[in-house]
Amino acid sequence: MISFSSFKFTLLLPLMVGCLMAASASNFNNDFDITWGDGRGKIVNNGEVLTLSLDKSSGSGFQSKNEYLFGKIDMQLKLVPGNSAGTVTAYYLSSKGSTWDEIDFEFLGNLSGGPYILHTNVFSQGKGNREQQFYLWFDPTADFHTYSILWNPQSIIFSVDGTPIREFKNMESIGVPFPKNQPMRIYSSLWNADDWATRGGLVKTDWTLAPFTASYRNFNADACVWSNGASSCKSTATSTNSAWFSQEMDSAKQQRLQWVQKNYMIYNYCNDANRFPQGLPPECSMS
């Protein structure tokens, strides 16, 4: 088992520049509804913090009041500490229907001292199977860290503390569907998945340690709000939208992305030829 303490912190120097993001004032009472959990989800500290809890009876979850069609979404999370094996904290954007779009962060718990696995996926028109998984270069249970999704017509960029870890580009030109037409809400949940989450289900949730709790703060959405069939953003043909709408990664961000993928990526669907006997998905030839 790889322990968090075994990571080489000397590798972190390339990440130190630009990793701090300004906290934005937000109020969870204004932005989110707790949707399930029978009291296990709570908004506290005058709306500044939201907590989700899981026990043997139930987990809990929340969703955004608004729907978004493109944006830069930031949330700070502090994950379940200690022995979190069997638990999953999901934080994602999703539309509805049988051909839904979805952009996923999922945090798979582990035994005490073992690293969390950060699982990412992108669904478009109901099709996913685009998983990439990572270890993190810090203990995500010791403090809050910022997890961001930049979603614009050109690409989807997943970032952690301002460091990009994954980019899914718009490759409709080669027949790859891209999420661009369906507005999505933000969802998060804490739930039991000990049939698969930790070592493929070999390690079960230790309910003697319940309740398990994850915490959220400093939500920020610089985004196009979708309401009554219209976007809050100006026409995409104009230059009046925020910089994120046309943002691409510069060379420094590209270098950090490559660094993370070289040192911390533990699974990439584009390298899993056994899973795709008819050939890897077309976007894999472009990465």
Side-chain angles (χ1 to χ4, degrees):
M1 178 177 67
I2 298 176
S3 69
F4 175 77
S5 61
S6 69
F7 288 153
K8 296 180 179 178
F9 286 93
T10 54
L11 293 175
L12 299 183
L13 292 177
L15 298 175
M16 292 297 101
V17 177
C19 72
L20 297 178
M21 302 182 67
S24 173
S26 63
N27 189 306
F28 282 100
N29 288 306
N30 297 334
D31 297 321
F32 293 93
D33 293 314
I34 294 173
T35 49
W36 64 282
D38 193 24
R40 292 172 179 82
K42 298 177 181 179
I43 298 174
V44 297
N45 292 10
N46 297 315
E48 293 182 1
V49 174
L50 188 152
T51 62
L52 294 181
S53 292
L54 163 70
D55 57 35
K56 197 168 186 178
S57 298
S58 178
S60 50
F62 64 86
Q63 69 179 44
S64 62
K65 295 180 186 291
N66 288 327
E67 292 183 292
Y68 305 95
L69 186 61
F70 304 124
K72 184 177 184 297
I73 310 294
D74 303 320
M75 184 81 83
Q76 290 192 333
L77 280 74
K78 184 163 67 171
L79 300 179
V80 174
N83 181 358
S84 58
T87 71
V88 172
T89 306
Y91 160 58
Y92 60 102
L93 292 165
S94 182
S95 63
K96 294 291 189 181
S98 60
T99 56
W100 77 100
D101 294 339
E102 187 170 320
I103 304 169
D104 287 343
F105 279 113
E106 288 187 304
F107 303 89
L108 314 185
N110 209 337
L111 295 168
S112 297
Y116 264 82
I117 291 175
L118 173 51
H119 175 101
T120 66
N121 203 353
V122 176
F123 287 75
S124 186
Q125 299 177 20
K127 180 181 180 297
N129 298 326
R130 300 186 178 102
E131 298 90 349
Q132 290 183 359
Q133 294 183 336
F134 305 83
Y135 288 140
L136 294 166
W137 49 92
F138 53 83
D139 179 356
T141 74
D143 203 351
F144 286 90
H145 291 269
T146 304
Y147 302 90
S148 305
I149 294 168
L150 172 64
W151 170 35
N152 64 28
Q154 295 80 42
S155 67
I156 296 164
I157 300 172
F158 298 76
S159 298
V160 178
D161 287 340
T163 293
I165 65 169
R166 176 178 185 177
E167 180 179 30
F168 184 81
K169 294 181 179 180
N170 184 336
M171 287 179 277
E172 290 178 303
S173 60
I174 60 170
V176 179
F178 185 83
K180 67 173 189 178
N181 296 317
Q182 300 186 61
M184 297 196 262
R185 291 189 193 275
I186 302 164
Y187 297 87
S188 191
S189 58
L190 174 58
W191 51 291
N192 178 47
D194 66 4
D195 56 334
W196 65 271
T198 306
R199 294 185 60 202
L202 293 177
V203 182
K204 301 300 184 182
T205 304
D206 183 351
W207 294 113
T208 66
L209 302 174
F212 304 97
T213 301
S215 300
Y216 303 74
R217 72 179 187 189
N218 290 336
F219 164 71
N220 186 65
D222 188 3
C224 300
V225 175
W226 188 265
S227 179
N228 298 319
S231 172
S232 64
C233 291
K234 304 294 184 181
S235 167
T236 57
T238 73
S239 60
T240 57
N241 291 309
S242 297
W244 60 262
F245 198 85
S246 58
Q247 183 176 333
E248 298 180 355
M249 285 193 292
D250 59 22
S251 59
K253 294 265 188 183
Q254 289 279 3
Q255 288 178 353
R256 294 216 296 275
L257 173 71
Q258 293 167 8
W259 185 89
V260 171
Q261 294 195 342
K262 177 182 177 182
N263 291 284
Y264 290 99
M265 179 184 282
I266 59 172
Y267 178 80
N268 182 358
Y269 74 108
C270 281
N271 296 334
D272 194 348
N274 291 333
R275 184 178 173 191
F276 301 100
Q278 304 303 315
L280 292 171
E283 66 267 22
C284 294
S285 65
M286 306 293 290
S287 59

